[in-house]
Amino acid sequence: MRTQAGLLLAHTVVVQAVTFMLRPASAYRALELDVPPAWLGVLGASFAVVPLVLAVPAGHAVDRFGERRIVLVGSGLLTTAGLGFVLLADTVAGLVLASMVLGTGHLCAVVGQQALVANRTPADRYDAAFGYYTFAASLGQAVGPGLIVVFGGGRPIPDTGAIFLGATALAGPLLVTAGFLRPSGHHRRAAGPGAGGMPDLLRQPGLVRALTVSCVVLAAVDITLVYLPALGAERGIAAGSIGVLLGLRAVASMASRLLLGRLVAAVGRRRLLIGTVALAAGGLALLLPPLPFWALAVVVTVSGLGLGAGQPLTMSFLAESAPPGLRGRAMSLRLTGNRLGQVLIPSVAGALAAGAGAAGVLACTAAGLAGAAVAATGLHRPPPTDPVGG
C-alpha cells in the first residue's frame, strides 16, 4: 500500500510539473511568434475549454473502466502534448492544438488520481490522504516553473524548444508509473445495474454544498494570484515584495495540506473546513486598509493556511458523500465546478476592479469566502456505507 501511495504521489508531482512547464513555455513561444494579445487569451482558454466539456465524461469513464486506464490515457496525452509543442509550435494553430491536448491529458490524469485516492483510502484516512495528494500537486506546480530556468535558461524569453523537449522527456516515464498503479476495482460495480448515475449523485446529502465551497476557495486562490500584484502596484509596493507575499501564501498552503490529517483528528473535518475558510476570508478582508509589510506578510500567510486546507477537505466530503462506483464522477463534477468558478468569478472580479480597485476585489472575495464558510456549516459526514480501501 505504501508503494502504491508513493507511486501515485510521484505521478502527481510529475503531471503538475510537466503542465506548469508547458503552459508558460507556450505563452513564451506565442510571444516569440508576435501573437496579438487577444490570441494569448485564446491560447490560455484552449487549455481549459476541452476539460470543461469532457470533465464529467472522464469521471464516468473512470467509474466504468477503472482509474488506472484513465490515468494511462492522461499520461499518454501529456506526452503527446509535449511532442505536439515540439513539432507544431511554429504556428498559433499548432500551439492551440497542443494546448488542448495538454488540458485533456491533465484532466484525465487528475480525475483518475483523485478517484484512486478516494477509492483506495479507508474513510478515516481521507483527510490525510487528500492532504498529501494536494501537497504533491502543489509541489509539482512549484517545481515546473523552476524547471523552465533549468531547460530554457535565464533569458527574458527562454529557449522554448529546449523546454518543450525537456517536458516531453519528463512526461515519458509517466506511462510506466501509471502502468504500475493498481486499480481499486470499484469500476466493476459501476458497470453493474445498481450503480446509479449523475441524478443519484447530485441527490447525495451535502454534495452540492461541498462543490460550492470548493469552487469559491479555488477562485479565491486565483484572484489572490492576480490581485495581490495589482494591490502592490496601487500602493507602491515593490514587485519583489509582492513575490515574497505570494511565496509565503504558497508555502502556508502546502504546510496546511501536509498537516491536514493531524488537524482533522484534533478538531474534526467540518469544524476545520469552516474555520479555515473563515480564516481565509478574514485574512483577505484585512487587506482592505493599508498595512505595513510585516503585517501584510502575517495576513497573507494566514490566508494561505486557510485556502490550502479548503480543497483537500472538500475532496474528503465528496469522497464520503459519493457511493462506490460514482466517485470518479464526483471528482469530475468538482473539477467542472472549479473550472466554471475560475472563469466566472474572476470575470466578475475584473468588472468590480474598474470601480473598487484591487482592495475592493479582495474584499468581495473575502465576502464570498465568508458565504462559503456559512455553506460549510451544513456539511455532515454520512454514515459509512462501504469498506473503502479493502
Side-chain angles (χ1 to χ4, degrees), residues 252-301:
S253 292
M254 292 172 72
S256 67
R257 291 171 173 180
L258 199 58
L259 300 172
L260 197 66
R262 296 179 183 179
L263 293 171
V264 170
V267 302
R269 182 189 300 158
R270 186 172 70 96
R271 288 181 181 176
L272 185 63
L273 180 60
I274 295 167
T276 53
V277 175
L279 194 67
L284 292 184
L286 288 173
L287 293 174
L288 191 57
L291 295 172
F293 182 76
W294 67 266
L296 279 175
V298 172
V299 167
V300 169
T301 301

Side-chain angles (χ1 to χ4, degrees), residues 51-62 70 198 329 332 336:
L52 190 59
V53 175
L54 294 183
V56 172
H60 187 277
V62 168
I70 307 307
M198 196 62 72
R329 271 165 277 193
S332 68
T336 302

Side-chain angles (χ1 to χ4, degrees), residues 217 220-221 224 249 253 257 276 280 302-311 369:
V217 170
V221 172
T224 58
R249 185 201 62 76
S253 292
R257 291 171 173 180
T276 53
V302 167
S303 298
L305 288 169
L307 292 171
Q311 291 299 307
L369 286 168

